Amino acid sequence: MTAVLPSGVLRPADDPELPARLLASARARDEGLMPTEEFDVWLEGRRRAHPFKVERVPFAEADGWSFAPDTGDLVHSSGRFFSVDGLRVTSADGPYGNWDQPIIRQPEVGILGILVKDFGGVPHFLMQAKMEPGNPNLLQLSPTVQATRSNYTRVHRGSAVRYIEHFVGPRRGRVIADVLQSEHGSWFYRKNNRNMLVETDEDVPLGDDFQWLTLGQLNELLARDNVVNMDARTVLSCLTPFLPREEGGEGALHPTPELQSWFTGQRSDRDIEVSRIPLRDTEGWHRDAERIARPDGRFFRVVAVSVQAGSREVARWSQPLFEPTGPGVVAFVVREFDGVTHVLMRARAEPGFRQTVELGPTVQCVPENHTVEPPLLEYVLAADPSRIRYDAVHSEEGGRFLNAVSRHLVVEADDAHPVQPPADCAWFTMAQLGELLRHGNYLSVQARTLLACMNALPRR
């Protein structure tokens, strides 16, 4: 059900008190409803409370899944959820030219929503300990609601998605952010999810697998490896426009209209054609009983798993997962100009993006896939520890990707790094990136993760 906008007197375009309230929440690292030192015990308790089991199985044993006889696409018997199709890419840019690949097609829009509530004058965020079969440690911290439309409309005939009523239907609270954002353009075909933060003043019964945390506590957890999942990170990045900046200066190296013109040019000038094809027609890929993969073993493979999860809406199921062949590196290079932090963003083309190009990290790659080293990879990996502002390993979307982990870095540029960037890169302030985050399909999910991580850094 679509919300109806009320009419009436004029109100401020943004809540003027929100930045100060968020800052108070970010500073509350030990004053949450649950002390931070108790978090590990709570999470381990949730892990022990439910049976979790993931086993690789041949495609023939993936219950409900089969290869369509006419296309070879990997599809579910319900006709819903998602499918694995083929994609053909023709590109005049980049090192690889033309290629075919499997791609996940999931037309329906999912909801990634975090519920916010004020306790003692401090906003808290309702987070869920959620099992996903692709996570290397299975259980991670997720948004309040993380559900596809098939999930929350109960196509699977399982239990209802908890707290979904705060995000669909008549509004029960105040919307802080609500924007459609892309997912991994290398593995999803034009996939968007609704990223939402909604504040309530109602009493909210606390489920066993849920916990209220302050922004400061979440920021501490973001510094740990594989604790806060990808969906939570992308929603938390939507707070960027509202967070107060303490950068010691104002302004930007480039006016926003100038950056928008540069980015529009990047989108307009990329010569890329993308077409869906039957999975059976993908060239350079081989299917056997247990995987779809390239003969050279590069990039990724498609496998099937059988899942048991006592805490999910459905306790048992099977599904395909994309498994990358190695860990990735995702990095921002940052630099101060007149006291204002700027981030070097790269205009990155991925075949699954709706508009082909989005702003991505300075560096984004799986190093072992490349015969020619990607630009600035060695620069960030060889950075002196004194220049590394952030360094943690995070996993990607565990509901679709198996053991997909990347090292996430924020590296300060040194004097040897040129101020003038390559043609496909530009310097943005955090404020400029925050304004773009109010709109969909500007910043990639990898860039949004790094923004959430940057927001989590102690104020300087």
Side-chain angles (χ1 to χ4, degrees), residues 137-154:
N137 53 353
L138 295 184
L139 195 69
Q140 294 187 14
L141 214 55
S142 83
T144 316
V145 168
Q146 177 184 318
T148 66
R149 185 172 180 82
S150 292
N151 289 145
Y152 66 79
T153 58
R154 302 175 71 178

Side-chain angles (χ1 to χ4, degrees), residues 217-432:
Q217 290 175 308
L218 289 170
N219 289 344
E220 283 197 15
L221 296 174
L222 277 166
R224 303 185 189 180
D225 293 348
N226 291 318
V227 173
V228 181
N229 81 357
M230 186 217 78
D231 298 289
R233 299 192 304 266
T234 181
V235 177
L236 290 172
S237 77
C238 295
L239 292 174
T240 304
F242 311 107
L243 295 173
R245 300 289 159 204
E246 299 177 359
E247 296 171 314
E250 297 180 355
L253 189 63
H254 303 291
T256 300
E258 199 173 283
L259 288 172
Q260 289 177 323
S261 179
W262 166 81
F263 185 57
T264 301
Q266 289 291 317
R267 282 182 163 172
S268 301
D269 295 344
R270 300 293 178 98
D271 186 9
I272 299 176
E273 294 184 8
V274 176
S275 57
R276 285 171 47 208
I277 61 173
L279 182 60
R280 69 181 180 192
D281 292 343
T282 52
E283 297 181 3
W285 294 79
H286 172 73
R287 186 183 104 196
D288 61 25
E290 297 183 344
R291 65 184 60 82
I292 303 169
R294 288 169 52 104
D296 61 8
R298 296 169 68 197
F299 301 111
F300 65 93
R301 62 185 70 91
V302 184
V303 299
V305 295
S306 173
V307 185
Q308 179 181 350
S311 61
R312 294 290 296 266
E313 296 83 8
V314 174
R316 295 175 182 270
W317 74 93
S318 298
Q319 68 169 93
L321 291 172
F322 278 32
E323 183 180 28
T325 55
V329 175
V330 180
F332 275 163
V333 172
V334 301
R335 189 176 205 142
E336 286 195 0
F337 295 95
D338 292 330
V340 179
T341 298
H342 286 63
V343 183
L344 188 60
M345 305 296 293
R346 187 178 299 275
R348 181 176 174 86
E350 296 184 7
F353 287 153
R354 286 181 177 271
Q355 299 191 56
T356 307
V357 175
E358 294 190 7
L359 290 173
T362 319
V363 176
Q364 177 189 322
C365 67
V366 174
E368 65 186 57
N369 283 335
H370 298 271
T371 55
V372 178
E373 184 174 290
L376 296 177
L377 173 62
E378 181 60 26
Y379 181 80
V380 299
L381 292 181
D384 187 274
S386 64
R387 294 195 292 113
I388 298 176
R389 293 180 56 183
Y390 181 88
D391 188 356
V393 173
H394 294 300
S395 55
E396 303 301 337
E397 215 275 85
R400 298 292 177 266
F401 311 134
L402 179 63
N403 298 324
V405 297
S406 293
R407 183 184 178 191
H408 290 67
L409 293 156
V410 177
V411 178
E412 291 183 348
D414 57 12
D415 293 339
H417 189 275
V419 173
Q420 182 62 40
D424 63 343
C425 294
W427 294 104
F428 287 74
T429 67
M430 292 290 286
Q432 288 172 323

